[in-house]
Amino acid sequence: YIYAGDGRGKSPAAIGRAVQAAVEGRQVVIIQFLKGKGLQDSEFLRRMEPEIKLFRFEKSDENIWLVDDTDAGFEVKNNNESWFQRKFGKKPTYRVITRAGRSSRWVPVYNVSACGDSIRGYHCISGGRGESTATWRVALPKGNYEVWVKVFKDYITTFPGIKTFPSSVVNYYTVCYGDKQEKVELSLDEELVGISSGWVSLGNFDFPGGEVRVVLSDKEINRDKDVAIIADAVKFVRLE
């Protein structure tokens, strides 16, 4: 089936055909190449996985690539889980607030300050030893880029009480491209002065073309399990 031409209705028709194919027991993959905001029904389609696999690639500007934690280019590795959690644990559901309790695995959280299309939110995990990671992947043409990350300071529990936001929090990133791996440590006390969230630059990089990965570790400098390590979005801005 090919849906083309001017006017409305092409995407709904294609999605309807995909749902019909899934009902018939066929393997269905939907790939969206988006110039701007995606379809508002993308979250509905995600709830139909694994019967329907959804991959979205979004380019918000000709020189800006944004990868959010709801995009196909994002993945998490939970290496802090127990054998029981790996064997019988259910997929984490969205939290309404970050401070809902410690978590040894990445969990999605609703947050209006986060990036997102139909849903604004991020993934968080209790501060750990650097064994679990969140990764953003994107294919970029050759060029010089500045890489930005959306960062947050917060606790994952309400236990600290009178403290509004944690201090002395460092986020540990690794930028991987070609045969290089460049480590970047972000002191959130220095980067977020008087605020709890914002876009922070990891620096400028000369990418040779091809896949680029940005990896966030769950490492917490004080191994404080009440501190939230938060993964939201990464933005690649082409400078030249």
PDB file of all heavy atoms in Angstrom, residues 102-120:
ATOM      1  N   ARG A 102      13.197   5.217  46.027  1.00  0.00           N
ATOM      2  CA  ARG A 102      14.417   4.738  45.368  1.00  0.00           C
ATOM      3  C   ARG A 102      14.099   3.723  44.275  1.00  0.00           C
ATOM      4  O   ARG A 102      13.118   2.992  44.341  1.00  0.00           O
ATOM      5  CB  ARG A 102      15.343   4.090  46.390  1.00  0.00           C
ATOM      6  CG  ARG A 102      15.929   5.041  47.426  1.00  0.00           C
ATOM      7  CD  ARG A 102      16.807   4.271  48.390  1.00  0.00           C
ATOM      8  NE  ARG A 102      17.442   5.145  49.375  1.00  0.00           N
ATOM      9  CZ  ARG A 102      18.247   4.714  50.342  1.00  0.00           C
ATOM     10  NH1 ARG A 102      18.511   3.417  50.430  1.00  0.00           N
ATOM     11  NH2 ARG A 102      18.785   5.569  51.188  1.00  0.00           N
ATOM     12  N   SER A 103      14.973   3.695  43.265  1.00  0.00           N
ATOM     13  CA  SER A 103      14.805   2.736  42.180  1.00  0.00           C
ATOM     14  C   SER A 103      16.166   2.280  41.690  1.00  0.00           C
ATOM     15  O   SER A 103      17.028   3.104  41.382  1.00  0.00           O
ATOM     16  CB  SER A 103      14.015   3.355  41.020  1.00  0.00           C
ATOM     17  OG  SER A 103      13.916   2.436  39.942  1.00  0.00           O
ATOM     18  N   SER A 104      16.355   0.977  41.606  1.00  0.00           N
ATOM     19  CA  SER A 104      17.619   0.420  41.110  1.00  0.00           C
ATOM     20  C   SER A 104      17.622   0.278  39.601  1.00  0.00           C
ATOM     21  O   SER A 104      18.592  -0.214  39.027  1.00  0.00           O
ATOM     22  CB  SER A 104      17.884  -0.945  41.761  1.00  0.00           C
ATOM     23  OG  SER A 104      16.841  -1.855  41.430  1.00  0.00           O
ATOM     24  N   ARG A 105      16.533   0.687  38.957  1.00  0.00           N
ATOM     25  CA  ARG A 105      16.472   0.665  37.495  1.00  0.00           C
ATOM     26  C   ARG A 105      15.850   1.967  36.997  1.00  0.00           C
ATOM     27  O   ARG A 105      15.176   2.680  37.737  1.00  0.00           O
ATOM     28  CB  ARG A 105      15.675  -0.541  36.996  1.00  0.00           C
ATOM     29  CG  ARG A 105      14.249  -0.619  37.516  1.00  0.00           C
ATOM     30  CD  ARG A 105      13.561  -1.841  36.958  1.00  0.00           C
ATOM     31  NE  ARG A 105      12.202  -1.991  37.458  1.00  0.00           N
ATOM     32  CZ  ARG A 105      11.342  -2.876  36.974  1.00  0.00           C
ATOM     33  NH1 ARG A 105      11.709  -3.666  35.985  1.00  0.00           N
ATOM     34  NH2 ARG A 105      10.122  -2.971  37.466  1.00  0.00           N
ATOM     35  N   TRP A 106      16.087   2.268  35.732  1.00  0.00           N
ATOM     36  CA  TRP A 106      15.575   3.496  35.146  1.00  0.00           C
ATOM     37  C   TRP A 106      14.052   3.437  35.067  1.00  0.00           C
ATOM     38  O   TRP A 106      13.478   2.458  34.581  1.00  0.00           O
ATOM     39  CB  TRP A 106      16.145   3.700  33.744  1.00  0.00           C
ATOM     40  CG  TRP A 106      17.623   3.913  33.701  1.00  0.00           C
ATOM     41  CD1 TRP A 106      18.579   2.960  33.472  1.00  0.00           C
ATOM     42  CD2 TRP A 106      18.315   5.149  33.877  1.00  0.00           C
ATOM     43  NE1 TRP A 106      19.830   3.532  33.500  1.00  0.00           N
ATOM     44  CE2 TRP A 106      19.698   4.883  33.743  1.00  0.00           C
ATOM     45  CE3 TRP A 106      17.913   6.457  34.121  1.00  0.00           C
ATOM     46  CZ2 TRP A 106      20.670   5.862  33.844  1.00  0.00           C
ATOM     47  CZ3 TRP A 106      18.872   7.445  34.236  1.00  0.00           C
ATOM     48  CH2 TRP A 106      20.233   7.147  34.099  1.00  0.00           C
ATOM     49  N   VAL A 107      13.399   4.502  35.537  1.00  0.00           N
ATOM     50  CA  VAL A 107      11.944   4.575  35.484  1.00  0.00           C
ATOM     51  C   VAL A 107      11.533   5.883  34.818  1.00  0.00           C
ATOM     52  O   VAL A 107      12.159   6.922  35.016  1.00  0.00           O
ATOM     53  CB  VAL A 107      11.311   4.483  36.891  1.00  0.00           C
ATOM     54  CG1 VAL A 107      11.541   3.117  37.496  1.00  0.00           C
ATOM     55  CG2 VAL A 107      11.857   5.564  37.808  1.00  0.00           C
ATOM     56  N   PRO A 108      10.474   5.860  33.993  1.00  0.00           N
ATOM     57  CA  PRO A 108       9.999   7.094  33.353  1.00  0.00           C
ATOM     58  C   PRO A 108       9.172   7.922  34.338  1.00  0.00           C
ATOM     59  O   PRO A 108       8.443   7.381  35.169  1.00  0.00           O
ATOM     60  CB  PRO A 108       9.148   6.576  32.192  1.00  0.00           C
ATOM     61  CG  PRO A 108       8.657   5.235  32.652  1.00  0.00           C
ATOM     62  CD  PRO A 108       9.735   4.668  33.540  1.00  0.00           C
ATOM     63  N   VAL A 109       9.292   9.249  34.195  1.00  0.00           N
ATOM     64  CA  VAL A 109       8.603  10.176  35.104  1.00  0.00           C
ATOM     65  C   VAL A 109       7.985  11.300  34.278  1.00  0.00           C
ATOM     66  O   VAL A 109       8.632  11.865  33.396  1.00  0.00           O
ATOM     67  CB  VAL A 109       9.584  10.788  36.130  1.00  0.00           C
ATOM     68  CG1 VAL A 109       8.836  11.707  37.095  1.00  0.00           C
ATOM     69  CG2 VAL A 109      10.328   9.709  36.891  1.00  0.00           C
ATOM     70  N   TYR A 110       6.732  11.644  34.574  1.00  0.00           N
ATOM     71  CA  TYR A 110       6.129  12.815  33.965  1.00  0.00           C
ATOM     72  C   TYR A 110       6.745  14.075  34.556  1.00  0.00           C
ATOM     73  O   TYR A 110       6.912  14.193  35.769  1.00  0.00           O
ATOM     74  CB  TYR A 110       4.620  12.852  34.231  1.00  0.00           C
ATOM     75  CG  TYR A 110       3.826  11.754  33.576  1.00  0.00           C
ATOM     76  CD1 TYR A 110       3.168  10.794  34.345  1.00  0.00           C
ATOM     77  CD2 TYR A 110       3.716  11.685  32.196  1.00  0.00           C
ATOM     78  CE1 TYR A 110       2.424   9.788  33.748  1.00  0.00           C
ATOM     79  CE2 TYR A 110       2.975  10.685  31.593  1.00  0.00           C
ATOM     80  CZ  TYR A 110       2.323   9.733  32.369  1.00  0.00           C
ATOM     81  OH  TYR A 110       1.593   8.742  31.774  1.00  0.00           O
ATOM     82  N   ASN A 111       7.085  15.045  33.706  1.00  0.00           N
ATOM     83  CA  ASN A 111       7.599  16.320  34.193  1.00  0.00           C
ATOM     84  C   ASN A 111       7.395  17.372  33.099  1.00  0.00           C
ATOM     85  O   ASN A 111       7.915  17.230  31.991  1.00  0.00           O
ATOM     86  CB  ASN A 111       9.083  16.213  34.553  1.00  0.00           C
ATOM     87  CG  ASN A 111       9.597  17.453  35.250  1.00  0.00           C
ATOM     88  OD1 ASN A 111       9.675  18.534  34.663  1.00  0.00           O
ATOM     89  ND2 ASN A 111       9.975  17.310  36.510  1.00  0.00           N
ATOM     90  N   VAL A 112       6.640  18.421  33.422  1.00  0.00           N
ATOM     91  CA  VAL A 112       6.306  19.429  32.413  1.00  0.00           C
ATOM     92  C   VAL A 112       7.513  20.244  31.984  1.00  0.00           C
ATOM     93  O   VAL A 112       7.487  20.917  30.946  1.00  0.00           O
ATOM     94  CB  VAL A 112       5.202  20.380  32.933  1.00  0.00           C
ATOM     95  CG1 VAL A 112       3.911  19.614  33.151  1.00  0.00           C
ATOM     96  CG2 VAL A 112       5.636  21.074  34.220  1.00  0.00           C
ATOM     97  N   SER A 113       8.598  20.204  32.767  1.00  0.00           N
ATOM     98  CA  SER A 113       9.807  20.950  32.410  1.00  0.00           C
ATOM     99  C   SER A 113      10.715  20.160  31.482  1.00  0.00           C
ATOM    100  O   SER A 113      11.711  20.693  30.988  1.00  0.00           O
ATOM    101  CB  SER A 113      10.585  21.341  33.676  1.00  0.00           C
ATOM    102  OG  SER A 113       9.816  22.187  34.505  1.00  0.00           O
ATOM    103  N   ALA A 114      10.392  18.898  31.262  1.00  0.00           N
ATOM    104  CA  ALA A 114      11.222  18.039  30.427  1.00  0.00           C
ATOM    105  C   ALA A 114      10.868  18.204  28.956  1.00  0.00           C
ATOM    106  O   ALA A 114       9.865  18.815  28.597  1.00  0.00           O
ATOM    107  CB  ALA A 114      11.053  16.585  30.848  1.00  0.00           C
ATOM    108  N   CYS A 115      11.713  17.645  28.090  1.00  0.00           N
ATOM    109  CA  CYS A 115      11.433  17.636  26.663  1.00  0.00           C
ATOM    110  C   CYS A 115      10.398  16.554  26.361  1.00  0.00           C
ATOM    111  O   CYS A 115      10.149  15.655  27.165  1.00  0.00           O
ATOM    112  CB  CYS A 115      12.710  17.366  25.875  1.00  0.00           C
ATOM    113  SG  CYS A 115      13.915  18.706  25.966  1.00  0.00           S
ATOM    114  N   GLY A 116       9.811  16.639  25.196  1.00  0.00           N
ATOM    115  CA  GLY A 116       8.839  15.634  24.788  1.00  0.00           C
ATOM    116  C   GLY A 116       7.829  16.197  23.828  1.00  0.00           C
ATOM    117  O   GLY A 116       7.645  17.410  23.749  1.00  0.00           O
ATOM    118  N   ASP A 117       7.173  15.311  23.112  1.00  0.00           N
ATOM    119  CA  ASP A 117       6.164  15.709  22.137  1.00  0.00           C
ATOM    120  C   ASP A 117       4.787  15.559  22.764  1.00  0.00           C
ATOM    121  O   ASP A 117       4.250  16.470  23.374  1.00  0.00           O
ATOM    122  CB  ASP A 117       6.316  14.855  20.883  1.00  0.00           C
ATOM    123  CG  ASP A 117       5.313  15.231  19.803  1.00  0.00           C
ATOM    124  OD1 ASP A 117       4.756  16.344  19.891  1.00  0.00           O
ATOM    125  OD2 ASP A 117       5.085  14.427  18.898  1.00  0.00           O
ATOM    126  N   SER A 118       4.185  14.390  22.638  1.00  0.00           N
ATOM    127  CA  SER A 118       2.874  14.173  23.240  1.00  0.00           C
ATOM    128  C   SER A 118       2.973  13.993  24.743  1.00  0.00           C
ATOM    129  O   SER A 118       2.016  14.262  25.473  1.00  0.00           O
ATOM    130  CB  SER A 118       2.204  12.946  22.606  1.00  0.00           C
ATOM    131  OG  SER A 118       3.036  11.805  22.728  1.00  0.00           O
ATOM    132  N   ILE A 119       4.126  13.537  25.223  1.00  0.00           N
ATOM    133  CA  ILE A 119       4.346  13.355  26.657  1.00  0.00           C
ATOM    134  C   ILE A 119       5.663  14.011  27.035  1.00  0.00           C
ATOM    135  O   ILE A 119       6.696  13.766  26.404  1.00  0.00           O
ATOM    136  CB  ILE A 119       4.386  11.865  27.041  1.00  0.00           C
ATOM    137  CG1 ILE A 119       2.992  11.252  26.914  1.00  0.00           C
ATOM    138  CG2 ILE A 119       4.899  11.686  28.456  1.00  0.00           C
ATOM    139  CD1 ILE A 119       2.919   9.812  27.325  1.00  0.00           C
ATOM    140  N   ARG A 120       5.630  14.850  28.069  1.00  0.00           N
ATOM    141  CA  ARG A 120       6.855  15.455  28.596  1.00  0.00           C
ATOM    142  C   ARG A 120       7.290  14.677  29.833  1.00  0.00           C
ATOM    143  O   ARG A 120       6.509  14.492  30.762  1.00  0.00           O
ATOM    144  CB  ARG A 120       6.623  16.922  28.945  1.00  0.00           C
ATOM    145  CG  ARG A 120       6.436  17.809  27.727  1.00  0.00           C
ATOM    146  CD  ARG A 120       6.316  19.269  28.116  1.00  0.00           C
ATOM    147  NE  ARG A 120       6.232  20.119  26.947  1.00  0.00           N
ATOM    148  CZ  ARG A 120       7.283  20.637  26.324  1.00  0.00           C
ATOM    149  NH1 ARG A 120       8.485  20.372  26.775  1.00  0.00           N
ATOM    150  NH2 ARG A 120       7.128  21.392  25.256  1.00  0.00           N
TER     151      ARG A 120
END
